[in-house]
Amino acid sequence: MNNQKAFLGINLDLFENPKYKNLDSRAMMLYALYADRYSASMNNARLGNTAFVDDMGVFIRFTNELAAKVLHVSKQKVTDFRKELSDLDLIKVVREGLKGYKIYVYPVQQTPNNVELLLPWKNHTITVKKATSDWTILSKIEFCKNLKLSSQNVEMTVSRISESTCSSKTDTSLSHSSLSHVFLNNNGLDDNARAREENEIQPNPSNKNPYHSLPEKIKSSFVDVFGFITKPMAVELHSLISQSNEDMVNYVITSSKGHKVTNAIAYIKAAITNALKRGDKCAQDMINFYNNNVKNTFTSRKKKPAKRFMSKEEVNAMVAKDEEEIRQNNPELYARIQDIKRRSAEKAKRKPVIPMYKLGY
């Protein structure tokens, strides 16, 4: 009988941190669903599947319809919860096409140390002790003791021992053809174990993730503005820092916040390249160039005056002025105009008025 169950974990800092004191508990459940899906996307990314990775980092797709069914609420409620999470910088929603959305999940802020905890038992301490297991050595000793041998001296070579199981399958093979003088004691087996440890493949320093060697200032500002940093992005950032310096790269990242940037690395690379061509040597040079050439250009543009329309009184005054000029310079034309105005007024008065009930209302 299989009693294994699946559970959805909720970060208790959502309850403890005063920043989230007004967050609806159902919104916390929605964040837990997003975080669970995010961990799956992250695992796929680590295995080389980049289907859920873009320039902003790892994202998820989780429709409001599915979330509404899981949480037993309406679709509009899920929209409200998602807005709460977005306002608290727990997620970022980016439209993809007409109906699709990408959701970027950000970590929960840790509860400050000066806050009195509601659930103090959650902050228990786990001490992890590293120990080297000797079960492989003991199993080999027990195996050798159980052999029916005519002599205490056995010539044997252990060619293969499985590191993951103690089963009596073909994990241990004994060859009586290549014999060496080994006593049935712990010394020979210990030597064999030490030799195996020495032959283990040591980690290659060149295989380290370049993200970990990035300056903390660069990592925090990039994650704040653009999101997750992938390994290729980290390599490009290292290259840009070596071409210029850390402060210049950090200035470009922070100053791009709020701008619509589709490719973060291409944007930073273009800004650094232009700065180096101008001869900028530090972030202050870039700030001075912006204040003197870019910022003033936008603020010095004169706004076009709004189009003005004449009022009814101004139109009537202009017409009266023109009529007076016609009356003085061309009395005949003025008389004809007055006759036309009079006949139009009489015609309007003679227009019959049809009662509404005769029109079918």
Side-chain angles (χ1 to χ4, degrees), residues 2 56 94-95 123 164 200-202 268 289 291 330:
N2 188 4
M56 295 179 62
V94 177
R95 180 183 289 276
N123 285 347
S164 59
E200 287 180 353
I201 299 175
Q202 298 298 325
I268 300 170
F289 176 82
N291 293 332
N330 195 342

Side-chain angles (χ1 to χ4, degrees), residues 7 59 69 72 118 140 170-171 190 198 201 256 286:
F7 296 92
F59 63 89
K69 289 180 181 179
H72 302 170
L118 301 172
K140 288 186 290 184
T170 58
D171 293 339
D190 283 342
E198 291 173 358
I201 299 175
S256 61
M286 301 176 73

Side-chain angles (χ1 to χ4, degrees), residues 278-293:
R278 293 193 304 265
D280 295 349
K281 296 182 179 179
C282 61
Q284 188 59 46
D285 293 341
M286 301 176 73
I287 296 172
N288 294 338
F289 176 82
Y290 173 78
N291 293 332
N292 298 331
N293 299 278

Side-chain angles (χ1 to χ4, degrees), residues 250-264:
N250 188 63
Y251 168 72
V252 175
I253 296 173
T254 54
S255 61
S256 61
K257 188 171 185 178
H259 297 183
K260 188 176 181 181
V261 179
T262 56
N263 190 325

Side-chain angles (χ1 to χ4, degrees), residues 184-336:
L184 277 179
N185 54 25
N186 201 17
N187 296 331
L189 298 175
D190 283 342
D191 294 338
N192 192 9
R194 281 196 295 272
R196 186 176 66 251
E197 290 176 358
E198 291 173 358
N199 292 330
E200 287 180 353
I201 299 175
Q202 298 298 325
N204 189 354
S206 61
N207 293 333
K208 290 183 179 178
N209 192 337
Y211 169 81
H212 300 303
S213 56
L214 281 174
E216 290 297 329
K217 181 165 56 176
I218 297 293
K219 287 194 286 188
S220 60
S221 58
F222 192 97
V223 171
D224 178 53
V225 177
F226 299 113
F228 183 79
I229 302 178
T230 61
K231 186 175 181 180
M233 289 181 181
V235 173
E236 292 289 347
L237 288 173
H238 275 294
S239 175
L240 292 171
I241 292 172
S242 63
Q243 293 175 23
S244 55
N245 57 60
E246 178 183 336
D247 291 333
M248 292 177 69
V249 175
N250 188 63
Y251 168 72
V252 175
I253 296 173
T254 54
S255 61
S256 61
K257 188 171 185 178
H259 297 183
K260 188 176 181 181
V261 179
T262 56
N263 190 325
I265 295 299
Y267 176 84
I268 300 170
K269 187 180 294 185
I272 294 296
T273 303
N274 293 334
L276 295 177
K277 286 181 180 179
R278 293 193 304 265
D280 295 349
K281 296 182 179 179
C282 61
Q284 188 59 46
D285 293 341
M286 301 176 73
I287 296 172
N288 294 338
F289 176 82
Y290 173 78
N291 293 332
N292 298 331
N293 299 278
V294 181
K295 185 177 180 181
N296 296 336
T297 302
F298 289 104
T299 56
S300 62
R301 289 182 180 176
K302 293 183 179 179
K303 293 184 179 180
K304 295 182 179 179
K307 193 172 182 180
R308 183 177 175 275
F309 297 93
M310 293 196 310
S311 64
K312 186 177 180 180
E313 291 77 11
E314 291 175 336
V315 172
N316 292 335
M318 185 178 291
V319 171
K321 183 180 179 181
D322 293 340
E323 287 182 352
E324 181 62 24
E325 290 180 359
I326 294 173
R327 188 183 67 80
Q328 293 178 2
N329 300 327
N330 195 342
E332 294 181 1
L333 178 60
Y334 178 76
R336 284 206 307 267

Side-chain angles (χ1 to χ4, degrees), residues 76-194:
Q76 181 58 43
K77 269 293 181 186
V78 174
T79 303
D80 296 339
F81 296 154
R82 196 167 69 177
K83 186 178 184 307
E84 288 185 41
L85 297 175
S86 180
D87 292 341
L88 291 170
D89 297 327
L90 290 171
I91 64 169
K92 183 177 182 180
V93 182
V94 177
R95 180 183 289 276
E96 183 186 30
L98 296 176
K99 294 184 178 180
Y101 291 92
K102 293 180 179 178
I103 302 176
Y104 301 86
V105 183
Y106 299 135
V108 180
Q109 287 191 11
Q110 198 169 4
T111 306
N113 294 330
N114 58 354
V115 175
E116 185 177 355
L117 300 178
L118 301 172
L119 304 171
W121 46 267
K122 84 178 183 67
N123 285 347
H124 57 275
T125 303
I126 299 177
T127 303
V128 180
K129 222 179 214 185
K130 255 183 130 180
T132 303
S133 174
D134 58 349
W135 65 266
T136 52
I137 298 173
L138 294 177
S139 63
K140 288 186 290 184
I141 295 174
E142 193 65 28
F143 179 81
C144 294
K145 284 181 178 180
N146 292 333
L147 289 176
K148 293 182 179 180
L149 302 176
S150 57
S151 173
Q152 289 186 342
N153 297 335
V154 181
E155 298 171 344
M156 53 185 264
T157 301
V158 178
S159 62
R160 177 174 164 270
I161 298 177
S162 172
E163 292 281 339
S164 59
T165 178
C166 291
S167 61
S168 59
K169 297 179 182 179
T170 58
D171 293 339
T172 305
S173 61
L174 302 178
S175 173
H176 293 278
S177 58
S178 55
L179 301 178
S180 59
H181 194 68
V182 181
F183 288 97
L184 277 179
N185 54 25
N186 201 17
N187 296 331
L189 298 175
D190 283 342
D191 294 338
N192 192 9
R194 281 196 295 272

